[in-house]
Amino acid sequence: MHLDHQDGFPERHTYSAAAPVRGDGTRRALRIGLGGPVGTGKTATVAALCRVLREEFSIAVVTNDIYTREDAEFLRREAVLPTERIVAVETGACPHTAIRDDISANLEAVEDLEESVGPLDLVLVESGGDNLTATFSKGLVDAQIFVIDTAGGDDIPRKGGPGVTTADLLVVNKTDLAPYVGVDLDGMARDAKAQRGELPVAFTALKQPDGVKPVADWVRAQLTHWTTATA
Amino acid sequence: MIPTIPEAAKPAPEPTTPGVRATARIAATGRGGATTLTALDGDGPFELRRLRPRGNEARVIVVGAMSAPLGGDRLRIEATAEHGASLHITSATATLALKGATAAPATYDVALTAGEGTQLHWLPKPLISAVGSDLRQTLTADLARTARLVLREEQILGRAGEPPGRLATRLVVRRGGRTLLHQQADYGPGAVGWDGPAVLADHRAIGQLLIVDPSLEYARNPPRLLAEAPESGQALLAPLAGPAVLVTAVARDGLRLRRLLDTAEAAVRGPGG
Amino acid sequence: MTRAALLVLADGRFPAGGHAHSGGAEPAVRAGRVTDSTSLETFCRGRLHTAGLVAAGLAAAAAAGHDPLALDEAADARTPVPALRSTARKLGRQMMRAARASWPSAALDALAAARPRGAHQPVVLGLAARSAGLTPLDAAYAVAYENISGPATAVVRLLSLDPFDATAVLARLATDVDRVAAAATRAADRIPAEGYDALPAASAPLLDITAEAHAAWPVRLFAS
């Protein structure tokens, strides 16, 4: 009778990211969220990470576009991963809600990817571009990256906000533009240090060869920690 | 289980001035590759005529001898196809629901039964809900798993330039004992929200084309919108959660609706169908 | 158990995915049929007495303890459009996650196992209400209210409508919600005598047609 859907998936026992294992006892993928304001290079960072890490790890991506499926389409077009490894979640004009207050659609997207193309080592969850207060729920991701850029002005680290102060990694992108927009990178680094203490900051210029390396190295370290901690 | 009528379409209490009560019966059975009509019993306003058969298909036309149904009338048509029969039923004229002498609603029930290996076509002319009328119409189809059904229904709310009467409809299609489609509608004065932007807006003609066919492949019937231009109405052809497609169409008037449904019928049947 | 569980279940912030859906309001706004608070009110009233009544009946029946799989099939029969069946199952799966975290029960586990891709949302909500110790009428209220609060919230975003006007629309529809919740519950009460055909099946042709059209839009704010 039910031609709309195939009941081929196993029963799901977990309802949050809190459990590091899946219903069948196997270790689930590490989930890393990427947030930050519009246009700072979140999608470009995801694309670069996929290109650098896809030979080493089994990766999938969940995008959260604000009103289109454009980010997912971009990643598919760029062929950074096979198309079935990229899934778009719709957020009803409220991207921060979908990553923080009501994470159900994102959790389902992550779980579906694990079931359809898994086993996976890493799932990157990219937020739709939002404001400086948008952070990921711990129920959805294990670690989060907040991406800002020099073009947004060098006062953003000083202003702080939950994204800048609490993200596990702060990425300052487009350092190659710093001279053109009159931005003081050393000042940004000092402000970030003051806001974040020992939490790391990566300065990137994605347009340059291997520009994503600092972020990729950080992700590798997270994956190493994840596999050893949950082994 | 005896089909029951939900609240919205419940028969009215016994009218003090009883209207017409009539039940017409049509039955067809398959014998040696042909279809034989075993019952053709008109009653009250329903006169039944046999048309020239087409291939192994028996064809019947319902001729409305009166402008029924009026308020207080209880009308019923039963049609049954058995043993691989192929039965095609149409009507000669539109059914016009009119205000009767009593305030009681009229009821008009159609009960279709299609056994294993049968084909049943129910393709009446439109039902028109005239001003002041109050009609509760039900259509129930009970299909065996291998039966094929083609059903087309059109409801026109009001004659040209007049407001509609009250029209409550209920369509229930069961296949192999399980309900495949259940749809009710309640339009006209006294109904709530029916002319708002979620239900009909300014459309006054509604149509359904349903094809149940065990050989229909779900994947080959993706949802299709059949009219893009707002002035021609809107229609959607979509697969149900079983081997069936339903066309839902709305238009400003009966003429536009008929064109939409004709387009839909051609789209479903495909080239050469 | 406590009646206050109804406030948790009906809270717009209950994390069950509703925020990403407009309940057909986005295509109605695009078509110029919803332009202000007056047309929002007629849209919501029509939706409430059709799709809302159907959903409330299913939820009341699930809360009353009727077979959720039979109700899921009844929901399919009352949802002739694939886009709306898919949305209902997606939201049902999300509701299931939130419900199992909030009011864990063997009945919810069993339905999750039988419909891992999601049962129709009102069925899951009704079963969640039952797990929370709420009544069929409570479940019908939660569904009926959600049926109009979703589009009202969406239209605030789509039209930049004054949020006070949108809330006033919901307040004006309160007696309609009463009527729909009561009718849905009465219908569910008749199941033992009349079977699942007793449940409402009110249709809304424009909601059906435009839902499928909306699902094909390349650019949209809401998932449905």
Side-chain angles (χ1 to χ4, degrees), chain B residues 9 27-28 31 42 45 49 54 98 104 112 118 163 180 187 192 245 250 269:
Chain B
R31 276 178 201 157
R49 284 189 201 149
R54 188 185 288 169
L98 291 167
L112 307 177
T118 60
L180 174 67
Y187 301 133
V192 185
V245 292
V250 292
R269 294 185 173 190

Side-chain angles (χ1 to χ4, degrees), chain B residues 20-31:
Chain B
V20 176
R21 283 156 181 269
T23 300
R25 287 189 183 84
I26 304 163
T29 190
R31 276 178 201 157

Side-chain angles (χ1 to χ4, degrees), chain C residues 1-2 4-6 8-10 14 16 58-66 68 71 91-109 111-112 119-136 138-140 142-143 146:
Chain C
M1 293 273 190
T2 161
L6 177 58
V8 179
L9 184 62
F14 192 69
L58 291 163
H66 293 291
L71 291 170
L91 285 171
R93 187 175 166 196
Q94 290 174 261
M95 171 62 66
M96 177 62 83
R97 183 184 296 273
R100 287 171 88 188
S102 308
W103 303 285
S105 76
L108 285 170
D109 290 349
L111 180 57
H120 280 257
Q121 192 261 14
V123 179
V124 182
L125 189 147
L127 202 56
R130 183 174 175 81
S131 300
L134 294 168
T135 66
D138 293 334
V143 167
E146 172 196 73

Side-chain angles (χ1 to χ4, degrees), chain B residues 30-42:
Chain B
R31 276 178 201 157
T35 299
T36 308
L37 287 171
T38 52
L40 199 63
D41 307 328

Side-chain angles (χ1 to χ4, degrees), chain A residues 21-43:
Chain A
V21 291
R22 309 190 314 158
D24 61 4
T26 58
R27 186 182 59 237
R28 65 162 175 79
L30 175 70
R31 301 170 188 168
I32 293 182
L34 289 99
V38 177
T40 55
K42 291 183 298 298
T43 309

Side-chain angles (χ1 to χ4, degrees), chain A residues 1-4, chain B residues 179 218 241-242:
Chain A
M1 197 59 185
H2 289 281
L3 301 179
D4 283 347
Chain B
T179 305
Y218 186 78

Side-chain angles (χ1 to χ4, degrees), chain C residues 48-50 52-54 56-57 140 144 175-185:
Chain C
L48 176 61
H49 287 271
T50 54
L53 177 63
V54 174
T175 52
D176 284 83
V177 172
D178 288 339
R179 285 172 54 194
V180 164
T185 309

